[in-house]
Amino acid sequence: MEAVFWGCLIGGALYAIISALLGDLIGHALGGILDFLSLDGHPWLNPTTLVGGITAFGGAGLLLAHYTSLGLAAVFILALAGGVVIGGSGYFLYVKPMSESENSIALSEKDLSGKIAEVITAIPSKGYGEVLVKAGAGYTNQIAASFDGDDIPGGSRVVVVEVKENTLYVSKLDPY
């Protein structure tokens, strides 16, 4: 049984090292040949969860076998329970929160209404310029036109009044 525990521990550790260092390279090289192994229907069968549990099973089995006087069946059951707990913890503490996190940095132009911006390319009364708007943790450059029909020089602070047809309609912000 010790060979099984060593195999699980070493196999899990090697999987972690190889996937961390060469995961993308191997995935692109194989070009989807192993897609049939995908377990998309069961999110708790994520490779991170499974391999973490198998590695924990092997490590716990080795520790229990060497440092306790428990019988083989008890060691196996406790190691299996440890693997399930570690794998489940990995799923609930890492895999599930990451799968529910936002994975897009896209912004909705409608969310820019009411935002303060700085004109970086002058906006003529009957034309378009460019503004720099803070969006989320960064900044975005957007095409802008004058809402009031006034010329707005570069460096001016403006407020976005409305957004339509991928253009921000802005009005000069009066300093108080």
Short mmCIF file of all heavy atoms in Angstrom, two decimals, residues 53-130:
data_model
loop_
_atom_site.label_atom_id
_atom_site.label_comp_id
_atom_site.label_asym_id
_atom_site.label_seq_id
_atom_site.Cartn_x
_atom_site.Cartn_y
_atom_site.Cartn_z
N GLY A 53 -6.64 16.48 -4.22
CA GLY A 53 -7.15 15.44 -3.34
C GLY A 53 -6.31 14.17 -3.41
O GLY A 53 -6.02 13.54 -2.39
N ILE A 54 -5.91 13.78 -4.60
CA ILE A 54 -5.08 12.57 -4.77
C ILE A 54 -3.72 12.75 -4.12
O ILE A 54 -3.20 11.85 -3.44
CB ILE A 54 -4.93 12.23 -6.27
CG1 ILE A 54 -6.28 11.74 -6.81
CG2 ILE A 54 -3.86 11.18 -6.50
CD1 ILE A 54 -6.35 11.61 -8.32
N THR A 55 -3.13 13.93 -4.28
CA THR A 55 -1.84 14.21 -3.65
C THR A 55 -1.96 14.20 -2.14
O THR A 55 -1.11 13.63 -1.43
CB THR A 55 -1.29 15.57 -4.13
OG1 THR A 55 -1.28 15.58 -5.56
CG2 THR A 55 0.09 15.83 -3.61
N ALA A 56 -3.02 14.81 -1.62
CA ALA A 56 -3.25 14.81 -0.17
C ALA A 56 -3.49 13.39 0.34
O ALA A 56 -3.02 13.03 1.43
CB ALA A 56 -4.43 15.70 0.18
N PHE A 57 -4.20 12.58 -0.42
CA PHE A 57 -4.42 11.17 -0.06
C PHE A 57 -3.08 10.46 0.08
O PHE A 57 -2.84 9.76 1.07
CB PHE A 57 -5.30 10.49 -1.12
CG PHE A 57 -5.30 8.99 -1.05
CD1 PHE A 57 -6.01 8.33 -0.06
CD2 PHE A 57 -4.60 8.24 -1.98
CE1 PHE A 57 -6.01 6.94 0.01
CE2 PHE A 57 -4.59 6.86 -1.93
CZ PHE A 57 -5.29 6.21 -0.93
N GLY A 58 -2.20 10.63 -0.90
CA GLY A 58 -0.90 9.97 -0.84
C GLY A 58 -0.06 10.44 0.33
O GLY A 58 0.53 9.64 1.07
N GLY A 59 -0.01 11.75 0.54
CA GLY A 59 0.78 12.29 1.65
C GLY A 59 0.22 11.87 3.00
O GLY A 59 0.98 11.48 3.90
N ALA A 60 -1.09 11.95 3.16
CA ALA A 60 -1.71 11.56 4.43
C ALA A 60 -1.51 10.07 4.68
O ALA A 60 -1.24 9.64 5.81
CB ALA A 60 -3.19 11.91 4.42
N GLY A 61 -1.63 9.27 3.63
CA GLY A 61 -1.42 7.83 3.78
C GLY A 61 -0.01 7.51 4.24
O GLY A 61 0.19 6.67 5.13
N LEU A 62 0.98 8.15 3.65
CA LEU A 62 2.36 7.92 4.07
C LEU A 62 2.59 8.33 5.52
O LEU A 62 3.22 7.60 6.29
CB LEU A 62 3.32 8.69 3.16
CG LEU A 62 3.54 8.11 1.78
CD1 LEU A 62 4.36 9.06 0.93
CD2 LEU A 62 4.23 6.75 1.87
N LEU A 63 2.10 9.50 5.88
CA LEU A 63 2.27 9.98 7.26
C LEU A 63 1.58 9.07 8.27
O LEU A 63 2.16 8.71 9.31
CB LEU A 63 1.76 11.41 7.40
CG LEU A 63 2.56 12.48 6.68
CD1 LEU A 63 1.86 13.84 6.75
CD2 LEU A 63 3.96 12.58 7.27
N LEU A 64 0.34 8.69 7.96
CA LEU A 64 -0.40 7.82 8.89
C LEU A 64 0.24 6.43 8.99
O LEU A 64 0.28 5.85 10.08
CB LEU A 64 -1.85 7.70 8.44
CG LEU A 64 -2.71 8.95 8.61
CD1 LEU A 64 -4.05 8.80 7.89
CD2 LEU A 64 -2.93 9.24 10.09
N ALA A 65 0.73 5.91 7.88
CA ALA A 65 1.34 4.58 7.90
C ALA A 65 2.65 4.58 8.69
O ALA A 65 2.94 3.61 9.41
CB ALA A 65 1.59 4.10 6.47
N HIS A 66 3.43 5.64 8.60
CA HIS A 66 4.73 5.68 9.27
C HIS A 66 4.67 6.15 10.72
O HIS A 66 5.48 5.72 11.53
CB HIS A 66 5.70 6.57 8.48
CG HIS A 66 6.22 5.92 7.25
ND1 HIS A 66 7.16 4.92 7.27
CD2 HIS A 66 5.92 6.13 5.95
CE1 HIS A 66 7.42 4.53 6.03
NE2 HIS A 66 6.67 5.26 5.20
N TYR A 67 3.75 7.04 11.03
CA TYR A 67 3.77 7.67 12.36
C TYR A 67 2.61 7.28 13.27
O TYR A 67 2.46 7.87 14.33
CB TYR A 67 3.83 9.19 12.21
CG TYR A 67 5.10 9.63 11.54
CD1 TYR A 67 5.09 10.16 10.26
CD2 TYR A 67 6.33 9.51 12.19
CE1 TYR A 67 6.26 10.56 9.64
CE2 TYR A 67 7.50 9.90 11.57
CZ TYR A 67 7.47 10.43 10.30
OH TYR A 67 8.63 10.81 9.69
N THR A 68 1.80 6.33 12.87
CA THR A 68 0.74 5.83 13.74
C THR A 68 0.81 4.30 13.75
O THR A 68 1.45 3.68 12.91
CB THR A 68 -0.66 6.26 13.26
OG1 THR A 68 -0.94 5.64 12.02
CG2 THR A 68 -0.78 7.76 13.15
N SER A 69 0.12 3.73 14.70
CA SER A 69 0.07 2.26 14.79
C SER A 69 -1.27 1.74 14.27
O SER A 69 -1.69 0.64 14.63
CB SER A 69 0.32 1.81 16.23
OG SER A 69 -0.67 2.38 17.08
N LEU A 70 -1.94 2.52 13.44
CA LEU A 70 -3.24 2.12 12.89
C LEU A 70 -3.05 1.00 11.87
O LEU A 70 -2.01 0.89 11.23
CB LEU A 70 -3.91 3.31 12.21
CG LEU A 70 -4.27 4.51 13.10
CD1 LEU A 70 -4.76 5.67 12.25
CD2 LEU A 70 -5.34 4.13 14.11
N GLY A 71 -4.11 0.23 11.71
CA GLY A 71 -4.08 -0.84 10.73
C GLY A 71 -4.20 -0.28 9.32
O GLY A 71 -4.52 0.90 9.11
N LEU A 72 -3.97 -1.13 8.33
CA LEU A 72 -3.98 -0.72 6.93
C LEU A 72 -5.33 -0.15 6.51
O LEU A 72 -5.39 0.86 5.82
CB LEU A 72 -3.61 -1.91 6.04
CG LEU A 72 -3.47 -1.61 4.56
CD1 LEU A 72 -2.39 -0.57 4.32
CD2 LEU A 72 -3.17 -2.87 3.78
N ALA A 73 -6.42 -0.77 6.93
CA ALA A 73 -7.77 -0.30 6.57
C ALA A 73 -8.03 1.09 7.16
O ALA A 73 -8.56 1.97 6.48
CB ALA A 73 -8.83 -1.29 7.03
N ALA A 74 -7.64 1.30 8.42
CA ALA A 74 -7.86 2.60 9.07
C ALA A 74 -7.02 3.68 8.39
O ALA A 74 -7.48 4.80 8.17
CB ALA A 74 -7.53 2.51 10.55
N VAL A 75 -5.78 3.34 8.06
CA VAL A 75 -4.91 4.30 7.37
C VAL A 75 -5.51 4.68 6.03
O VAL A 75 -5.57 5.85 5.67
CB VAL A 75 -3.48 3.71 7.19
CG1 VAL A 75 -2.67 4.56 6.23
CG2 VAL A 75 -2.78 3.62 8.53
N PHE A 76 -5.99 3.68 5.28
CA PHE A 76 -6.58 3.94 3.98
C PHE A 76 -7.81 4.83 4.10
O PHE A 76 -7.95 5.82 3.35
CB PHE A 76 -6.95 2.62 3.29
CG PHE A 76 -7.54 2.80 1.92
CD1 PHE A 76 -6.71 3.02 0.83
CD2 PHE A 76 -8.91 2.81 1.71
CE1 PHE A 76 -7.24 3.21 -0.44
CE2 PHE A 76 -9.45 3.00 0.45
CZ PHE A 76 -8.61 3.20 -0.62
N ILE A 77 -8.70 4.53 5.04
CA ILE A 77 -9.93 5.31 5.21
C ILE A 77 -9.62 6.74 5.64
O ILE A 77 -10.19 7.70 5.12
CB ILE A 77 -10.88 4.61 6.21
CG1 ILE A 77 -11.43 3.33 5.55
CG2 ILE A 77 -12.02 5.53 6.63
CD1 ILE A 77 -12.18 2.43 6.51
N LEU A 78 -8.70 6.89 6.61
CA LEU A 78 -8.35 8.24 7.06
C LEU A 78 -7.63 9.04 5.96
O LEU A 78 -7.87 10.24 5.80
CB LEU A 78 -7.48 8.17 8.31
CG LEU A 78 -8.20 7.77 9.60
CD1 LEU A 78 -7.20 7.58 10.73
CD2 LEU A 78 -9.24 8.80 9.98
N ALA A 79 -6.77 8.38 5.20
CA ALA A 79 -6.09 9.06 4.09
C ALA A 79 -7.10 9.47 3.02
O ALA A 79 -7.02 10.57 2.47
CB ALA A 79 -5.01 8.17 3.50
N LEU A 80 -8.05 8.59 2.74
CA LEU A 80 -9.10 8.91 1.76
C LEU A 80 -9.93 10.09 2.25
O LEU A 80 -10.22 11.02 1.48
CB LEU A 80 -9.99 7.69 1.52
CG LEU A 80 -11.03 7.82 0.42
CD1 LEU A 80 -10.34 8.05 -0.92
CD2 LEU A 80 -11.88 6.56 0.37
N ALA A 81 -10.28 10.10 3.54
CA ALA A 81 -11.04 11.22 4.10
C ALA A 81 -10.23 12.52 4.02
O ALA A 81 -10.76 13.58 3.68
CB ALA A 81 -11.43 10.93 5.55
N GLY A 82 -8.94 12.43 4.31
CA GLY A 82 -8.08 13.61 4.20
C GLY A 82 -8.01 14.13 2.77
O GLY A 82 -8.05 15.34 2.54
N GLY A 83 -7.90 13.22 1.82
CA GLY A 83 -7.88 13.62 0.41
C GLY A 83 -9.16 14.30 -0.02
O GLY A 83 -9.15 15.30 -0.74
N VAL A 84 -10.30 13.75 0.45
CA VAL A 84 -11.60 14.35 0.11
C VAL A 84 -11.73 15.74 0.75
O VAL A 84 -12.20 16.68 0.10
CB VAL A 84 -12.76 13.42 0.55
CG1 VAL A 84 -14.09 14.12 0.48
CG2 VAL A 84 -12.77 12.16 -0.29
N VAL A 85 -11.29 15.87 1.99
CA VAL A 85 -11.38 17.16 2.67
C VAL A 85 -10.48 18.20 1.98
O VAL A 85 -10.91 19.33 1.72
CB VAL A 85 -11.00 17.03 4.17
CG1 VAL A 85 -10.79 18.39 4.81
CG2 VAL A 85 -12.08 16.26 4.91
N ILE A 86 -9.26 17.82 1.65
CA ILE A 86 -8.34 18.76 0.98
C ILE A 86 -8.85 19.10 -0.41
O ILE A 86 -8.86 20.26 -0.81
CB ILE A 86 -6.91 18.18 0.92
CG1 ILE A 86 -6.33 18.00 2.32
CG2 ILE A 86 -6.01 19.05 0.05
CD1 ILE A 86 -6.16 19.29 3.09
N GLY A 87 -9.29 18.10 -1.17
CA GLY A 87 -9.84 18.35 -2.51
C GLY A 87 -11.08 19.22 -2.45
O GLY A 87 -11.24 20.16 -3.23
N GLY A 88 -11.98 18.93 -1.50
CA GLY A 88 -13.20 19.73 -1.33
C GLY A 88 -12.88 21.16 -0.92
O GLY A 88 -13.49 22.12 -1.40
N SER A 89 -11.90 21.29 -0.04
CA SER A 89 -11.49 22.63 0.39
C SER A 89 -10.93 23.41 -0.80
O SER A 89 -11.22 24.60 -0.96
CB SER A 89 -10.43 22.55 1.49
OG SER A 89 -10.96 21.93 2.63
N GLY A 90 -10.13 22.73 -1.61
CA GLY A 90 -9.60 23.39 -2.81
C GLY A 90 -10.70 23.85 -3.74
O GLY A 90 -10.64 24.93 -4.33
N TYR A 91 -11.74 23.03 -3.85
CA TYR A 91 -12.86 23.40 -4.72
C TYR A 91 -13.60 24.62 -4.16
O TYR A 91 -13.83 25.59 -4.87
CB TYR A 91 -13.84 22.24 -4.89
CG TYR A 91 -15.07 22.63 -5.66
CD1 TYR A 91 -15.02 22.86 -7.02
CD2 TYR A 91 -16.29 22.81 -5.02
CE1 TYR A 91 -16.14 23.24 -7.73
CE2 TYR A 91 -17.42 23.20 -5.71
CZ TYR A 91 -17.33 23.41 -7.07
OH TYR A 91 -18.44 23.80 -7.75
N PHE A 92 -13.98 24.54 -2.88
CA PHE A 92 -14.80 25.61 -2.30
C PHE A 92 -14.02 26.89 -1.99
O PHE A 92 -14.60 27.98 -1.97
CB PHE A 92 -15.52 25.13 -1.05
CG PHE A 92 -16.65 24.19 -1.36
CD1 PHE A 92 -16.56 22.85 -1.06
CD2 PHE A 92 -17.80 24.65 -1.99
CE1 PHE A 92 -17.60 21.98 -1.37
CE2 PHE A 92 -18.84 23.80 -2.30
CZ PHE A 92 -18.73 22.45 -1.98
N LEU A 93 -12.73 26.78 -1.76
CA LEU A 93 -11.95 27.97 -1.42
C LEU A 93 -11.22 28.60 -2.60
O LEU A 93 -10.82 29.75 -2.53
CB LEU A 93 -10.93 27.64 -0.33
CG LEU A 93 -11.52 27.21 1.01
CD1 LEU A 93 -10.41 26.77 1.97
CD2 LEU A 93 -12.34 28.33 1.62
N TYR A 94 -11.04 27.82 -3.70
CA TYR A 94 -10.30 28.36 -4.84
C TYR A 94 -11.06 28.22 -6.16
O TYR A 94 -11.33 29.22 -6.83
CB TYR A 94 -8.93 27.70 -4.96
CG TYR A 94 -8.14 28.21 -6.12
CD1 TYR A 94 -7.56 29.47 -6.10
CD2 TYR A 94 -7.99 27.45 -7.27
CE1 TYR A 94 -6.85 29.95 -7.18
CE2 TYR A 94 -7.28 27.92 -8.36
CZ TYR A 94 -6.72 29.17 -8.31
OH TYR A 94 -6.04 29.65 -9.39
N VAL A 95 -11.40 27.00 -6.54
CA VAL A 95 -11.97 26.75 -7.86
C VAL A 95 -13.32 27.45 -8.03
O VAL A 95 -13.54 28.18 -9.01
CB VAL A 95 -12.10 25.24 -8.14
CG1 VAL A 95 -12.84 24.98 -9.43
CG2 VAL A 95 -10.72 24.60 -8.17
N LYS A 96 -14.23 27.26 -7.11
CA LYS A 96 -15.57 27.85 -7.24
C LYS A 96 -15.53 29.38 -7.20
O LYS A 96 -16.14 30.02 -8.07
CB LYS A 96 -16.49 27.31 -6.16
CG LYS A 96 -17.93 27.71 -6.37
CD LYS A 96 -18.86 27.04 -5.39
CE LYS A 96 -20.27 27.47 -5.70
NZ LYS A 96 -21.20 27.05 -4.70
N PRO A 97 -14.83 30.01 -6.24
CA PRO A 97 -14.78 31.48 -6.29
C PRO A 97 -14.15 32.02 -7.57
O PRO A 97 -14.60 33.03 -8.10
CB PRO A 97 -13.93 31.85 -5.07
CG PRO A 97 -14.06 30.70 -4.14
CD PRO A 97 -14.21 29.50 -5.02
N MET A 98 -13.13 31.35 -8.09
CA MET A 98 -12.50 31.82 -9.32
C MET A 98 -13.41 31.65 -10.53
O MET A 98 -13.41 32.47 -11.44
CB MET A 98 -11.18 31.08 -9.58
CG MET A 98 -10.08 31.49 -8.67
SD MET A 98 -9.71 33.22 -8.92
CE MET A 98 -9.03 33.64 -7.36
N SER A 99 -14.22 30.60 -10.54
CA SER A 99 -15.12 30.39 -11.67
C SER A 99 -16.26 31.40 -11.67
O SER A 99 -16.84 31.68 -12.70
CB SER A 99 -15.67 28.97 -11.68
OG SER A 99 -16.54 28.76 -10.59
N GLU A 100 -16.58 31.93 -10.49
CA GLU A 100 -17.67 32.91 -10.39
C GLU A 100 -17.17 34.34 -10.49
O GLU A 100 -17.97 35.27 -10.51
CB GLU A 100 -18.41 32.72 -9.07
CG GLU A 100 -19.15 31.40 -9.00
CD GLU A 100 -19.76 31.13 -7.65
OE1 GLU A 100 -19.55 31.93 -6.70
OE2 GLU A 100 -20.45 30.10 -7.52
N SER A 101 -15.84 34.52 -10.54
CA SER A 101 -15.32 35.88 -10.62
C SER A 101 -15.47 36.42 -12.03
O SER A 101 -15.59 35.68 -12.99
CB SER A 101 -13.85 35.91 -10.20
OG SER A 101 -13.06 35.23 -11.15
N GLU A 102 -15.46 37.72 -12.13
CA GLU A 102 -15.59 38.35 -13.44
C GLU A 102 -14.31 38.14 -14.21
O GLU A 102 -13.22 38.37 -13.71
CB GLU A 102 -15.86 39.84 -13.25
CG GLU A 102 -16.15 40.55 -14.53
CD GLU A 102 -16.55 42.00 -14.31
OE1 GLU A 102 -17.22 42.28 -13.32
OE2 GLU A 102 -16.18 42.82 -15.15
N ASN A 103 -14.43 37.68 -15.43
CA ASN A 103 -13.25 37.40 -16.21
C ASN A 103 -13.15 38.29 -17.44
O ASN A 103 -12.52 37.94 -18.41
CB ASN A 103 -13.20 35.93 -16.63
CG ASN A 103 -14.42 35.53 -17.43
OD1 ASN A 103 -15.27 36.34 -17.71
ND2 ASN A 103 -14.50 34.26 -17.81
N SER A 104 -13.77 39.42 -17.37
CA SER A 104 -13.73 40.33 -18.50
C SER A 104 -13.39 41.73 -18.00
O SER A 104 -13.83 42.14 -16.94
CB SER A 104 -15.09 40.36 -19.20
OG SER A 104 -15.11 41.37 -20.16
N ILE A 105 -12.61 42.43 -18.79
CA ILE A 105 -12.33 43.82 -18.44
C ILE A 105 -13.14 44.77 -19.31
O ILE A 105 -12.90 45.96 -19.34
CB ILE A 105 -10.82 44.13 -18.56
CG1 ILE A 105 -10.33 43.87 -19.98
CG2 ILE A 105 -10.02 43.35 -17.55
CD1 ILE A 105 -8.95 44.38 -20.25
N ALA A 106 -14.10 44.19 -20.02
CA ALA A 106 -14.94 45.00 -20.89
C ALA A 106 -15.77 45.98 -20.06
O ALA A 106 -16.17 45.69 -18.95
CB ALA A 106 -15.87 44.11 -21.71
N LEU A 107 -15.99 47.15 -20.62
CA LEU A 107 -16.81 48.12 -19.92
C LEU A 107 -17.98 48.49 -20.82
O LEU A 107 -17.88 48.43 -22.04
CB LEU A 107 -15.98 49.36 -19.57
CG LEU A 107 -15.55 50.26 -20.72
CD1 LEU A 107 -16.26 51.59 -20.57
CD2 LEU A 107 -14.06 50.45 -20.69
N SER A 108 -19.03 48.85 -20.20
CA SER A 108 -20.20 49.29 -20.94
C SER A 108 -20.10 50.80 -21.09
O SER A 108 -19.89 51.52 -20.11
CB SER A 108 -21.47 48.91 -20.18
OG SER A 108 -22.59 49.52 -20.78
N GLU A 109 -20.26 51.26 -22.31
CA GLU A 109 -20.19 52.70 -22.53
C GLU A 109 -21.32 53.43 -21.80
O GLU A 109 -21.18 54.58 -21.43
CB GLU A 109 -20.23 53.02 -24.03
CG GLU A 109 -18.96 52.61 -24.74
CD GLU A 109 -19.00 52.90 -26.23
OE1 GLU A 109 -20.10 53.04 -26.79
OE2 GLU A 109 -17.91 52.98 -26.82
N LYS A 110 -22.43 52.74 -21.57
CA LYS A 110 -23.55 53.36 -20.85
C LYS A 110 -23.15 53.69 -19.42
O LYS A 110 -23.70 54.61 -18.82
CB LYS A 110 -24.77 52.42 -20.85
CG LYS A 110 -25.28 52.07 -22.23
CD LYS A 110 -25.83 53.26 -22.95
CE LYS A 110 -26.37 52.86 -24.30
NZ LYS A 110 -26.57 53.96 -25.18
N ASP A 111 -22.19 52.95 -18.86
CA ASP A 111 -21.73 53.21 -17.49
C ASP A 111 -20.90 54.48 -17.39
O ASP A 111 -20.59 54.93 -16.29
CB ASP A 111 -20.90 52.03 -16.98
CG ASP A 111 -21.72 50.77 -16.81
OD1 ASP A 111 -22.96 50.87 -16.68
OD2 ASP A 111 -21.12 49.67 -16.81
N LEU A 112 -20.51 55.05 -18.51
CA LEU A 112 -19.67 56.24 -18.50
C LEU A 112 -20.46 57.53 -18.32
O LEU A 112 -19.87 58.58 -18.05
CB LEU A 112 -18.84 56.31 -19.78
CG LEU A 112 -17.85 55.15 -19.99
CD1 LEU A 112 -17.15 55.31 -21.32
CD2 LEU A 112 -16.86 55.08 -18.85
N SER A 113 -21.77 57.48 -18.44
CA SER A 113 -22.59 58.68 -18.23
C SER A 113 -22.39 59.20 -16.82
O SER A 113 -22.43 58.46 -15.85
CB SER A 113 -24.07 58.37 -18.45
OG SER A 113 -24.33 58.12 -19.80
N GLY A 114 -22.15 60.51 -16.73
CA GLY A 114 -21.94 61.15 -15.43
C GLY A 114 -20.50 61.16 -14.98
O GLY A 114 -20.17 61.79 -13.97
N LYS A 115 -19.60 60.50 -15.69
CA LYS A 115 -18.19 60.45 -15.31
C LYS A 115 -17.48 61.73 -15.72
O LYS A 115 -17.84 62.37 -16.70
CB LYS A 115 -17.49 59.27 -15.99
CG LYS A 115 -18.01 57.92 -15.60
CD LYS A 115 -17.29 57.41 -14.40
CE LYS A 115 -17.71 55.97 -14.16
NZ LYS A 115 -17.14 55.44 -12.98
N ILE A 116 -16.48 62.08 -14.95
CA ILE A 116 -15.63 63.22 -15.26
C ILE A 116 -14.50 62.72 -16.16
O ILE A 116 -13.96 61.64 -15.95
CB ILE A 116 -15.03 63.82 -13.97
CG1 ILE A 116 -16.13 64.19 -12.98
CG2 ILE A 116 -14.14 65.03 -14.29
CD1 ILE A 116 -17.09 65.23 -13.46
N ALA A 117 -14.16 63.51 -17.18
CA ALA A 117 -13.12 63.12 -18.12
C ALA A 117 -12.24 64.32 -18.42
O ALA A 117 -12.58 65.46 -18.08
CB ALA A 117 -13.76 62.60 -19.41
N GLU A 118 -11.12 64.04 -19.08
CA GLU A 118 -10.22 65.10 -19.51
C GLU A 118 -10.11 65.03 -21.03
O GLU A 118 -9.93 63.95 -21.60
CB GLU A 118 -8.84 64.92 -18.89
CG GLU A 118 -7.85 65.99 -19.32
CD GLU A 118 -6.47 65.76 -18.74
OE1 GLU A 118 -6.31 64.93 -17.84
OE2 GLU A 118 -5.54 66.45 -19.22
N VAL A 119 -10.22 66.19 -21.67
CA VAL A 119 -10.12 66.24 -23.12
C VAL A 119 -8.65 66.11 -23.50
O VAL A 119 -7.82 66.91 -23.07
CB VAL A 119 -10.71 67.57 -23.67
CG1 VAL A 119 -10.54 67.65 -25.18
CG2 VAL A 119 -12.17 67.69 -23.30
N ILE A 120 -8.33 65.11 -24.31
CA ILE A 120 -6.94 64.94 -24.74
C ILE A 120 -6.75 65.36 -26.20
O ILE A 120 -5.64 65.64 -26.61
CB ILE A 120 -6.43 63.50 -24.50
CG1 ILE A 120 -7.31 62.47 -25.16
CG2 ILE A 120 -6.30 63.22 -23.02
CD1 ILE A 120 -6.80 61.04 -25.01
N THR A 121 -7.81 65.40 -26.96
CA THR A 121 -7.80 65.96 -28.31
C THR A 121 -8.96 66.94 -28.38
O THR A 121 -10.10 66.57 -28.10
CB THR A 121 -7.98 64.87 -29.39
OG1 THR A 121 -6.95 63.90 -29.24
CG2 THR A 121 -7.93 65.45 -30.78
N ALA A 122 -8.67 68.20 -28.70
CA ALA A 122 -9.69 69.25 -28.69
C ALA A 122 -10.95 68.82 -29.44
O ALA A 122 -10.88 68.13 -30.45
CB ALA A 122 -9.13 70.53 -29.30
N ILE A 123 -12.11 69.23 -28.90
CA ILE A 123 -13.40 68.88 -29.49
C ILE A 123 -13.98 70.13 -30.15
O ILE A 123 -14.32 71.09 -29.47
CB ILE A 123 -14.36 68.35 -28.41
CG1 ILE A 123 -13.75 67.15 -27.70
CG2 ILE A 123 -15.71 67.99 -29.03
CD1 ILE A 123 -14.51 66.69 -26.45
N PRO A 124 -14.07 70.15 -31.48
CA PRO A 124 -14.68 71.30 -32.16
C PRO A 124 -16.19 71.30 -31.95
O PRO A 124 -16.80 70.29 -31.61
CB PRO A 124 -14.31 71.09 -33.63
CG PRO A 124 -14.03 69.65 -33.77
CD PRO A 124 -13.59 69.15 -32.43
N SER A 125 -16.82 72.44 -32.21
CA SER A 125 -18.26 72.56 -31.97
C SER A 125 -19.07 71.59 -32.84
O SER A 125 -20.11 71.10 -32.42
CB SER A 125 -18.72 73.99 -32.22
OG SER A 125 -18.43 74.36 -33.56
N LYS A 126 -18.62 71.29 -34.03
CA LYS A 126 -19.36 70.42 -34.94
C LYS A 126 -18.52 69.21 -35.36
O LYS A 126 -18.54 68.80 -36.50
CB LYS A 126 -19.77 71.18 -36.20
CG LYS A 126 -20.66 72.34 -35.96
CD LYS A 126 -22.10 71.92 -36.01
CE LYS A 126 -22.97 73.16 -36.05
NZ LYS A 126 -23.95 73.21 -35.02
N GLY A 127 -17.75 68.67 -34.44
CA GLY A 127 -16.90 67.54 -34.80
C GLY A 127 -16.61 66.66 -33.59
O GLY A 127 -17.33 66.68 -32.60
N TYR A 128 -15.55 65.91 -33.72
CA TYR A 128 -15.21 64.93 -32.69
C TYR A 128 -13.80 65.16 -32.17
O TYR A 128 -12.92 65.62 -32.89
CB TYR A 128 -15.30 63.51 -33.26
CG TYR A 128 -16.68 63.16 -33.74
CD1 TYR A 128 -17.02 63.27 -35.08
CD2 TYR A 128 -17.65 62.73 -32.85
CE1 TYR A 128 -18.29 62.96 -35.53
CE2 TYR A 128 -18.93 62.41 -33.28
CZ TYR A 128 -19.24 62.53 -34.62
OH TYR A 128 -20.51 62.23 -35.04
N GLY A 129 -13.61 64.80 -30.92
CA GLY A 129 -12.30 64.83 -30.28
C GLY A 129 -12.16 63.56 -29.47
O GLY A 129 -12.85 62.56 -29.71
N GLU A 130 -11.27 63.63 -28.50
CA GLU A 130 -11.02 62.43 -27.69
C GLU A 130 -10.91 62.83 -26.23
O GLU A 130 -10.33 63.86 -25.89
CB GLU A 130 -9.74 61.75 -28.16
CG GLU A 130 -9.51 60.40 -27.57
CD GLU A 130 -8.29 59.72 -28.19
OE1 GLU A 130 -7.55 60.36 -28.96
OE2 GLU A 130 -8.09 58.54 -27.89
#
